[in-house]
Every structure is written in C-alpha cells, then in structure tokens.
Amino acid sequence: MKDPRDIILAPVVSEKSYALIEQGVYTFKVHPSASKPEIHDAVESIWGVEVVKVNTLNRIGKVSRSRRNNRKGKKPDTKRAIVTLAAGNEIPLFEN
C-alpha cells in the first residue's frame, strides 16, 4: 500500500479553492497515478475526517515558447482532487 503522504502532494491555493473551503470542499494536488479510493483513504488517514465524495481532474501543462531562440517547452501535467467532507468535518490546512 502507498504512503498517504505520497498520494496527497499539496493543497491548491486559489480564490476558487478558498471559496469552496467554506462549503467543506477541499482541493489537493495528487500523484498522477492515484485513484479515487486511494485519495479517499489517504485524506481520511492523514486528517481523521469523513470523506463523502472525491472528484478528480487531469490538467494538461501549458506549452511555452522562449523569446530569444524560439525553443518550445512544456509545464508539467498535474492531477487535482476535489474532496467533499461530511457535515461538521474540517481540515486545518492554513492555520499557524
């Protein structure tokens, strides 16, 4: 079995994800090969909360071009998980 800390890589910090936190929905960057049941079990084991639903999405990295020598590069592809928690549960992500 994979270590839960290897599946959940980082929380997503954006205006949209902050707005969803108030509704009990959290967004994480996850390992590209992680499945929904693995993400579900990892979130429950790390923070001890009850997960209701997990949605995933694969984001394709943008292609960028250098100005000087016209070389093309690519940002890495990422996978995100949008995790919905049961009512009354919360994850203390951004507290000191």
Side-chain angles (χ1 to χ4, degrees), residues 9-29:
L9 301 179
V12 174
V13 180
S14 68
E15 289 183 24
K16 186 174 181 180
S17 67
Y18 276 131
L20 290 173
I21 287 176
E22 296 173 0
Q23 301 169 6
V25 179
Y26 293 83
T27 307
F28 300 101
K29 289 183 184 176

Side-chain angles (χ1 to χ4, degrees), residues 17-59:
S17 67
Y18 276 131
L20 290 173
I21 287 176
E22 296 173 0
Q23 301 169 6
V25 179
Y26 293 83
T27 307
F28 300 101
K29 289 183 184 176
V30 296
H31 193 273
S33 66
S35 64
K36 288 183 181 184
E38 289 176 340
I39 296 166
H40 179 277
D41 295 339
V43 171
E44 285 188 346
S45 67
I46 292 172
W47 287 286
V49 294
E50 184 182 348
V51 176
V52 175
K53 183 169 67 170
V54 176
N55 292 336
T56 59
L57 58 125
N58 289 310
R59 297 187 59 163

Side-chain angles (χ1 to χ4, degrees), residues 9 29-30 32 57-64 73-80:
L9 301 179
K29 289 183 184 176
V30 296
L57 58 125
N58 289 310
R59 297 187 59 163
I60 298 172
K62 292 183 178 180
V63 176
S64 59
K74 185 173 179 287
K75 295 189 178 184
D77 298 340
T78 58
K79 184 172 187 175
R80 292 186 178 194

